[in-house]
């Protein structure tokens, strides 16, 4: 059985601010990490590998050359193969172009039964890439998976979690799952695997390797949505500040509640 | 459409450092005195607009332009489960009507299911032009493959300008499928929408977990697709109906799926904070679970619902359905009292539309004060006991 896991490198902290004067993003640091939900995705793939014989796990990411780092991490955790898809012509990709590029990469890899994505990332935060990849590949997807219940020869039974209910769903291969946080505890990269995989080649694929080579389908040109502007969330200018002794401010709270007819 | 060009002649180490500093996406590489842009670039143009002058330039490339006049109408997808419409649909109708005033387009609703005429009737009460109904036994339960085929059929026939989808868990899984099928853009979780005269939708959404807002548009693709969370907008008043119901044939729409719903397990009901009118929200200032008892007298007096920030869910103190915020519930109560919450934007996005916001915190730099009507500077461990005392006096 062949599983492809899609992983993304994201800023280590989403604690960014926008300087309201200059409109420039201020970051706590330039550190990066693997998107947390992708750790659940990988862990789920590893658990399937432990449950079944001959499971092959192939981690893929689209990003700049430095995104190789998350692929190494995946290899040291337990992935068998890793591929980076990277090209300057992918710059400015929105969800549609990102998903299309990843689906082209997956077509290029060609041999898969299941694709695993995280539910969403902590930077773009759209939660759309998984379903869009599935649509481009013309395969079904099941979102918000928290548990694998059963794996059969031609399909899988999973549990998905929604607001007020859970669903038990069966789906045939090939399919795509998006993973939510369930009971999986993501493992750490192991020293032993690092020694084994250290020399493992991470393949880099560019637009020239893909089936569809029309540059207008990738990057900014292939992106229907464009970020026109980024700015800080709004502030209220009329906030009333209440300071004083403990008794005084408490009295004020009582007064505010009374004035608004809550007491 | 276009790309960013670098004027290499002017690049120095200092300027390269400056550009690397302002780029939010680490997209600049400076190697052997050559500055290049890597695939991390999102073409956000900060380097062009805010970077050192004359280095980065945006080169516009022209593309075949679509004729925007050919696409008319704002359609709202009405999500239903067990033949009950989700209320977010009505809220989106309200927004769609507001937008349509500016562009003079019709407003439509789309209902998919089996035996869903009642929902279509209900939709007309909100004053829209048409409700398109797709009924089939196969549509009884939501199925992403079959439902996507329906929306595709709808769009091919009616060529609408905009389709709005509620950002519920189902909607967030459904809308991207539609977007990829129709090869168009989709903006997730918009908190604000506006429209230009030419029909271009302006979409504002939080990103980076809500720490920044992004204004996004879809300049050359139709339909324009957006998801919007529940409780972001108000449902419009019901008015005298004037629209009509159009029942669409489904015979030609392919029904085929390999997804099978085996079982639905309902989680035990907890009162939903979504619809609460008065909320006391608690944050990490509470050192231990038993300290929550301090809020009981006020809760009782106000008949309030208790809600919390995400760390308290992670502690296991509350049911996840009590979490306010981007990854929790959006609330819009008449009154919310925040106790010891720092106001991460993920939290604020979930409650900023509340009518009256009172916040207690001992750190005056907390971000929640900025959006509060009343910013109470103080320690909850001092104020709550005092408040309980004063409440007791009031009772007597
Ligand atoms: C401020 C801002 C706002 C944006 N808003 C929008 C918007 O509303 N609509 C839009 O179309 N684009 C938007 N974009 C662009 C969008 O974030 C990026 O195009 C990104 O590629 C989409 O991924 P995401 O981070 O949202 O992923 P999600 O859809 O949240 O990711 C889900 C899963 O998909 C997989 N995945 C995602 N990206 C990759 C990758 N590069 N490589 C491998 N696997 C991956 C992972 O498994 C991940 O867990 C925005 C960008 C910015 C900077
Ligand atoms: C992708 C993503 C999604 C997220 N979604 C959500 C979400 O939906 N909802 C959510 O809540 N969070 C969410 N978070 C987490 C969020 O970033 C914050 O970490 C969280 O909201 C902080 O909770 P808090 O305010 O309770 O805690 P803290 O940030 O620790 O704040 C505690 C506050 O209490 C004050 N305080 C401490 N002691 C006292 C005292 N004795 N008296 C008075 N004041 C005191 C402190 O000054 C401080 O301001 C998300 C994060 C990410 C990355």
């Amino acid at each position: 059985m062949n599983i492809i896991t899609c992983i993304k490198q994201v800023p280590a902290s989403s604690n960014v601010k926008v300087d309201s004067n200059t409109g420039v993003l201020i970051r706590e640091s330039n550190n990066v990490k693997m998107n947390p939900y992708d750790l659940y995705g990988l862990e789920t793939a590893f658990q399937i590998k432990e449950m079944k014989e001959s499971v092959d796990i192939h981690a893929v990411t689209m990003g700049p050359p430095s995104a190789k780092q998350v692929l190494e991490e995946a290899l040291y955790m337990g992935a068998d193969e890793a591929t980076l898809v990277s090209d300057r012509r992918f710059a400015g990709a929105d969800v549609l172009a990102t998903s299309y590029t990843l689906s082209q990469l997956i077509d290029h890899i060609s041999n898969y039964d299941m694709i695993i994505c995280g539910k969403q990332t902590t930077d773009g935060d759209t939660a759309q890439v998984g379903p869009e990849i599935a649509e481009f590949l013309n395969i079904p997807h099941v979102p918000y998976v928290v548990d694998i219940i059963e794996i059969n020869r031609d399909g899988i039974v999973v549990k998905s979690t929604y607001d007020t209910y859970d669903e038990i769903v069966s789906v045939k291969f090939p399919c795509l799952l998006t993973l939510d946080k369930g009971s999986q505890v993501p493992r750490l990269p192991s020293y032993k695997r690092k020694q084994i995989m250290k020399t493992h080649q991470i393949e880099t694929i560019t637009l020239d390797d893909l089936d569809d080579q029309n540059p207008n389908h990738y990057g900014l040109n292939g992106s229907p949505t464009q970020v026109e502007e980024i700015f800080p969330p709004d502030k209220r200018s009329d906030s009333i500040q209440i300071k004083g002794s403990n008794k005084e401010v408490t009295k004020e709270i009582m007064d505010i509640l009374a004035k608004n007819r809550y007491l | 459409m276009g790309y960013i060009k670098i004027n290499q002649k002017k690049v120095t180490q200092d300027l390269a450092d400056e550009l690397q500093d302002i780029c939010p996406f680490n997209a600049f590489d400076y190697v052997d005195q050559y500055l290049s842009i890597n695939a991390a670039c999102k073409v956000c143009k900060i380097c062009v607009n805010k970077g050192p002058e004359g280095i980065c330039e945006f080169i516009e490339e022209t593309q075949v332009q679509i004729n925007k006049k050919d696409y008319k109408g704002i359609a709202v997808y009405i999500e239903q489960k067990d033949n009950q419409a989700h209320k977010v649909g009505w809220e989106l109708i309200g927004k769609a009507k507001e937008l349509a005033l500016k562009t003079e387009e019709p407003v439509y609703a789309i209902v998919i299911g089996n035996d869903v005429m009642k929902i279509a009737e209900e939709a007309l009460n909100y004053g829209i032009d048409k409700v398109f109904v797709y009924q089939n036994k196969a549509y009884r339960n939501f199925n992403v493959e079959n439902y996507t085929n329906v929306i595709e059929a709808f769009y091919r026939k009616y060529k609408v300008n905009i389709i709005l989808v509620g950002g519920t868990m189902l909607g967030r899984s459904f809308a991207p499928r539609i977007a990829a099928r129709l090869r168009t853009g989709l903006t997730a979780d918009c908190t604000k929408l506006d429209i230009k005269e030419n029909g271009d939708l302006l979409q504002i959404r939080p990103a980076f977990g809500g720490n920044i807002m992004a204004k996004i548009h879809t300049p050359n693709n139709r339909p324009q697709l957006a998801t919007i969370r529940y409780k972001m907008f108000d449902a419009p008043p019901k008015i005298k109906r004037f629209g009509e119901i159009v029942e669409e044939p489904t015979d030609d729409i392919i029904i085929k799926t390999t997804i099978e719903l085996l079982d639905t397990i309902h989680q035990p009901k907890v009162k939903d904070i979504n619809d609460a009118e008065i909320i006391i929200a608690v944050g990490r200032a509470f050192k231990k679970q038993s300290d929550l008892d301090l809020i009981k007298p006020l809760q009782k007096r106000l008949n309030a619902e208790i809600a919390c920030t995400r760390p308290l869910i992670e502690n296991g103190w509350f049911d996840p359905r009590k979490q306010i915020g981007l990854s929790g519930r959006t609330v819009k109560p008449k009154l919310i009292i925040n106790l010891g919450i720092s106001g991460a934007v993920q939290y604020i996005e979930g409650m900023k539309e509340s009518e009256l916001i009172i916040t207690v915190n001992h750190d005056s730099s907390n971000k929640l004060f900025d959006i509060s009507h009343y910013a109470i500077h103080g320690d909850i461990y001092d104020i709550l006991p005092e408040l309980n005392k004063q409440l007791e006096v009031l009772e007597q």
Side-chain angles (χ1 to χ4, degrees), chain A residues 5-10 25 35-38 60-63 85 92-99 102 116-133 177-179 223-227 229-230, chain B residues 25 42 44 184-190 203 205-208 212-216:
Chain A
T5 55
C6 298
I7 59 180
K8 184 182 180 189
Q9 192 173 52
V10 297
L25 280 194
N35 178 40
Y37 288 102
D38 300 346
V60 302
T61 193
M62 162 177 155
V85 60
D94 71 351
V95 168
L96 194 82
T98 301
S99 310
L102 285 167
I116 295 183
C117 285
K119 175 177 83 163
Q120 69 189 65
T121 63
T122 49
D123 59 348
D125 216 350
T126 65
Q128 295 170 349
V129 169
E132 295 211 10
I133 293 176
L177 310 179
T178 82
L179 263 288
S223 296
T225 68
Q226 313 211 334
V227 179
E229 191 189 336
I230 37 190
Chain B
F25 306 104
K42 301 255 183 258
C44 71
T184 192
L186 168 60
T187 308
D189 293 328
C190 302
Q203 304 151 115
R205 67 170 296 246
F208 282 96
I212 62 166
M213 307 300 288
K215 189 185 207 176
I216 293 177

Side-chain angles (χ1 to χ4, degrees), chain B residues 36-85:
Chain B
S36 62
I37 297 179
N38 65 40
C41 171
K42 301 255 183 258
V43 200
C44 71
K45 297 183 219 147
I46 273 191
C47 54
V48 177
N49 298 324
K50 313 283 179 191
E53 216 161 300
I55 305 289
C56 295
E57 188 187 352
F58 182 67
I59 306 292
E60 190 98 41
E61 284 177 322
T62 47
Q63 247 196 347
V64 184
Q65 296 294 311
I66 56 163
N67 188 355
K68 293 181 182 168
K69 290 202 188 75
D70 293 346
Y71 304 86
K72 280 280 171 212
I74 305 179
V76 175
Y77 168 67
I78 306 293
E79 176 180 323
Q80 57 88 11
K81 188 165 170 58
D82 303 326
N83 290 358
Q84 286 281 320

Side-chain angles (χ1 to χ4, degrees), chain A residues 8 11 13-18 21-25 27 30 32 37 63-65 86-88 90-96 100 120 122-128 131-132 134-136 138-144 157 159 161-172 180-181 220-244 246-247 249-251 253-254 256-257 259-260 262-263, chain B residues 1-4 22 24-26 37-43 46 50 58 61 63 81 144-145 148 168-170 172-173 176-177 179-181 183-189 192 196 202 204-205 207-219 221 258-267 272 278 298 301-302 310 321 326 329 334-335 337 345-346 352 356-358 360 367 369-377 382-383 386-387 390-391 394:
Chain A
K8 184 182 180 189
S13 155
S14 60
N15 236 340
V16 292
K17 279 191 205 133
V18 184
N21 293 323
T22 59
V24 168
L25 280 194
R27 285 211 175 179
N30 279 334
V32 285
Y37 288 102
S86 184
D87 197 308
R88 255 220 67 182
F90 298 156
D94 71 351
V95 168
L96 194 82
Y100 185 68
Q120 69 189 65
T122 49
D123 59 348
D125 216 350
T126 65
Q128 295 170 349
E132 295 211 10
E135 177 61 34
F136 280 123
N138 198 14
I139 61 173
H141 81 271
V142 182
Y144 321 126
V157 180
K159 179 167 141 184
T161 191
Y162 290 83
D163 275 0
T164 56
Y165 58 93
D166 296 333
E167 279 185 357
I168 310 293
V169 171
S170 98
V171 60
K172 296 234 165 12
D180 202 343
K181 181 179 176 197
L220 188 70
N221 288 338
S223 296
T225 68
Q226 313 211 334
V227 179
E228 203 171 64
E229 191 189 336
I230 37 190
F231 55 95
D234 37 330
K235 284 189 169 196
R236 186 182 296 282
S237 52
D238 55 351
S239 141
I240 298 172
Q241 306 295 318
I242 297 185
K243 296 179 187 167
N246 205 2
K247 255 212 175 82
V249 299
T250 307
K251 179 78 179 50
I253 299 176
M254 296 287 285
I256 297 162
L257 293 176
K259 193 174 80 190
N260 288 284
Y262 287 110
L263 290 179
Chain B
M1 302 298 135
Y3 61 95
I4 289 163
I22 66 166
F25 306 104
N26 294 330
I37 297 179
N38 65 40
C41 171
K42 301 255 183 258
V43 200
I46 273 191
K50 313 283 179 191
F58 182 67
E61 284 177 322
Q63 247 196 347
K81 188 165 170 58
V144 79
E145 292 171 290
T148 304
T168 60
M169 292 188 81
L170 278 183
R172 283 158 60 86
S173 154
R177 241 13 261 190
R181 176 73 57 91
R183 300 287 191 274
T184 192
L186 168 60
T187 308
D189 293 328
K192 264 190 208 151
K196 289 193 205 158
L202 294 174
I204 294 183
R205 67 170 296 246
F208 282 96
N211 284 306
I212 62 166
M213 307 300 288
K215 189 185 207 176
I216 293 177
H217 65 164
T218 314
N221 284 78
T258 60
I259 306 171
E260 193 187 345
L261 177 61
L262 302 180
D263 198 6
T264 305
I265 307 154
H266 289 273
Q267 294 158 4
D272 217 305
I278 301 175
L298 183 66
R301 178 77 201 200
L302 297 176
R310 191 159 90 170
R321 283 166 280 179
L326 270 188
R329 300 300 164 103
K334 295 211 157 61
L335 167 67
I337 302 176
V345 198
Q346 295 95 333
K352 66 175 189 208
L356 179 62
I357 305 173
I358 302 177
V360 183
K367 286 176 252 159
F369 272 180
D370 295 339
I371 65 139
S372 298
H373 298 90
Y374 294 98
I376 318 277
H377 299 249
D382 296 330
I383 290 183
E386 176 64 28
L387 191 70
Q390 296 193 16
L391 279 171
L394 193 74

Side-chain angles (χ1 to χ4, degrees), chain A residues 72-240:
Chain A
E72 277 164 8
E73 213 181 316
L75 288 173
Y76 301 161
M77 278 191 271
D80 302 292
E81 236 359 286
T83 304
L84 169 74
V85 60
S86 184
D87 197 308
R88 255 220 67 182
R89 289 168 286 181
F90 298 156
D94 71 351
V95 168
L96 194 82
T98 301
S99 310
Y100 185 68
T101 311
L102 285 167
S103 74
Q104 281 285 316
L105 171 70
I106 291 166
D107 264 344
H108 175 84
I109 295 171
S110 91
N111 195 5
Y112 63 90
D113 301 288
M114 190 155 76
I115 298 162
I116 295 183
C117 285
K119 175 177 83 163
Q120 69 189 65
T121 63
T122 49
D123 59 348
D125 216 350
T126 65
Q128 295 170 349
V129 169
E132 295 211 10
I133 293 176
E135 177 61 34
F136 280 123
L137 295 170
N138 198 14
I139 61 173
H141 81 271
V142 182
Y144 321 126
V145 173
V146 287
D147 249 323
I148 304 290
I149 291 174
E150 202 181 294
I151 301 170
N152 308 317
R153 238 187 40 177
D154 61 347
I156 187 167
V157 180
V158 299
K159 179 167 141 184
S160 284
T161 191
Y162 290 83
D163 275 0
T164 56
Y165 58 93
D166 296 333
E167 279 185 357
I168 310 293
V169 171
S170 98
V171 60
K172 296 234 165 12
F173 298 136
C175 63
L176 183 147
L177 310 179
T178 82
L179 263 288
D180 202 343
K181 181 179 176 197
S183 54
Q184 332 86 330
V185 180
R187 66 195 64 191
L188 296 170
S190 87
Y191 178 75
K192 219 169 104 201
R193 282 215 44 103
K194 186 167 175 180
Q195 294 314 308
I196 302 169
M197 301 306 278
K198 220 164 49 183
T199 53
H200 190 90
Q201 271 293 322
I202 295 178
E203 196 185 5
T204 301
I205 297 283
T206 70
L207 207 163
D208 301 327
D209 302 305
L210 299 178
D211 201 30
D212 176 3
Q213 305 208 347
N214 183 343
N216 284 332
H217 296 162
Y218 299 90
L220 188 70
N221 288 338
S223 296
T225 68
Q226 313 211 334
V227 179
E228 203 171 64
E229 191 189 336
I230 37 190
F231 55 95
D234 37 330
K235 284 189 169 196
R236 186 182 296 282
S237 52
D238 55 351
S239 141
I240 298 172

